[in-house]
């Protein structure tokens, strides 16, 4: 077996079939798809039963969270390579083939990543994450920025996964970052410089997720930077400022909480105070612009306006990427 694809699924009826079909439709067909149903109560299991492909296995488990579901999948996986795919994400058809080829051509690399495109709730293009070109020893940059963007990106050798251990069930919702940091300490990363990961930037209603995210980031970062060499320790503030910028984006774009706009403003002020150089980044300028625009938008139109702003950013990023390719 070449690749094991592990899909943790909790109440994923709206997207699970599309996600599994994305895995089964890969140009690399020597794979198994392990779906771990994490105690769903919305018809996810019934939909999975309609997929008739011998490469698909479903594991049923009591609800324990995404890390536990991934760990259960790992225990059952038989592939030479391991890839994770969240139940609302998708891949381009060539994702696994290109990533396996990248590792085959670089025997010293233990893991490989690609670039990410963000979609809205309906699967339409919103924006693309700026191209990242780090490879080899990526630990420092991953610690400061978490450039992988989500849990559906990396493909890794099985021996690399086994050496890193299992996902930490106590650090949600940043379990991906913590896990791939452990992998990056042990192994080189390769890069497939293509947009191959399709991440659904969906809207939720939980206002506490942002606070949990920041608490987990601060706890992991404190330990990591305490153990880091002196040259890397100086980037601790940059790491936390980046986390607050991401939390600001989540507050503005992914929650229906009526206090989201006020929280986003506090996060921006805190990020700038913590790391003033962030004012020079296009990301910070974009967030500030969005926050100011939303000051004048009626609450009932905020979600629509945010999507429009993200699409404007996506159009600008697409033009910018095209310009860079021509240089």
């Amino acid at each position: 077996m070449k690749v094991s694809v592990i899909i943790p699924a909790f109440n994923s009826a709206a997207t699970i079939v599309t996600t599994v079909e994305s895995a089964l439709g890969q140009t690399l067909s020597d794979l198994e798809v392990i779906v771990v149903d994490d105690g769903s109560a919305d018809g996810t299991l019934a939909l999975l039963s309609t997929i008739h492909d011998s490469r698909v296995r479903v594991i049923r488990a009591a609800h324990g969270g995404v890390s536990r579901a991934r760990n259960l999948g790992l225990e059952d996986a038989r592939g030479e390579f391991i890839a994770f795919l969240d139940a609302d994400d998708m891949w381009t058809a060539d994702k696994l083939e290109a990533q396996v080829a990248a590792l085959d051509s670089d025997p010293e690399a233990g893991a490989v990543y690609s670039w990410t495109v963000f979609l809205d709730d309906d699967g339409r293009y919103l924006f693309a994450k700026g191209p990242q070109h780090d490879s080899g020893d990526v630990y420092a940059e991953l610690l400061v920025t978490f450039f992988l963007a989500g849990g559906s990106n990396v493909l890794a050798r099985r021996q690399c996964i086994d050496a890193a251990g299992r996902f930490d069930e106590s650090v949600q919702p940043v379990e991906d970052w913590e896990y791939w940091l452990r992998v990056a300490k042990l192994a080189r990363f390769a890069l497939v410089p293509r947009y191959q990961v399709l991440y659904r930037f969906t809207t939720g209603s939980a206002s506490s997720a942002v606070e949990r995210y920041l608490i987990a980031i601060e706890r992991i970062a404190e330990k990591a930077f305490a153990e880091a060499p002196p040259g890397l320790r100086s980037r601790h503030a940059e790491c936390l400022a980046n986390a607050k910028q991401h939390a600001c984006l989540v507050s503005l774009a992914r929650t229906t909480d009526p206090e989201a706009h006020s929280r986003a403003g506090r996060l921006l002020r805190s990020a700038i105070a913590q790391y003033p150089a962030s004012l020079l980044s296009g990301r910070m300028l974009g967030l500030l612009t969005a926050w100011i625009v939303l000051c004048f938008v009626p609450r009932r139109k905020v979600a629509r306006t945010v999507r429009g702003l993200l699409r404007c950013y996506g159009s600008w990023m697409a033009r910018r990427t095209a310009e860079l390719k021509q240089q």
Side-chain angles (χ1 to χ4, degrees), residues 267-289:
L267 288 165
L268 286 175
R269 289 192 294 272
S270 179
I272 293 167
Q274 191 153 42
Y275 187 65
S278 63
L279 269 172
L280 301 176
S281 72
R283 184 187 191 192
M284 176 61 83
L285 293 175
L287 288 170
L288 284 169
T289 300

Side-chain angles (χ1 to χ4, degrees), residues 9-10 36-40 59-66 68-69 72:
F10 175 66
V36 183
D37 180 76
D38 186 30
S40 296
I59 298 173
R60 300 181 64 179
H63 182 54
V66 65
R68 182 170 178 268
L72 288 172

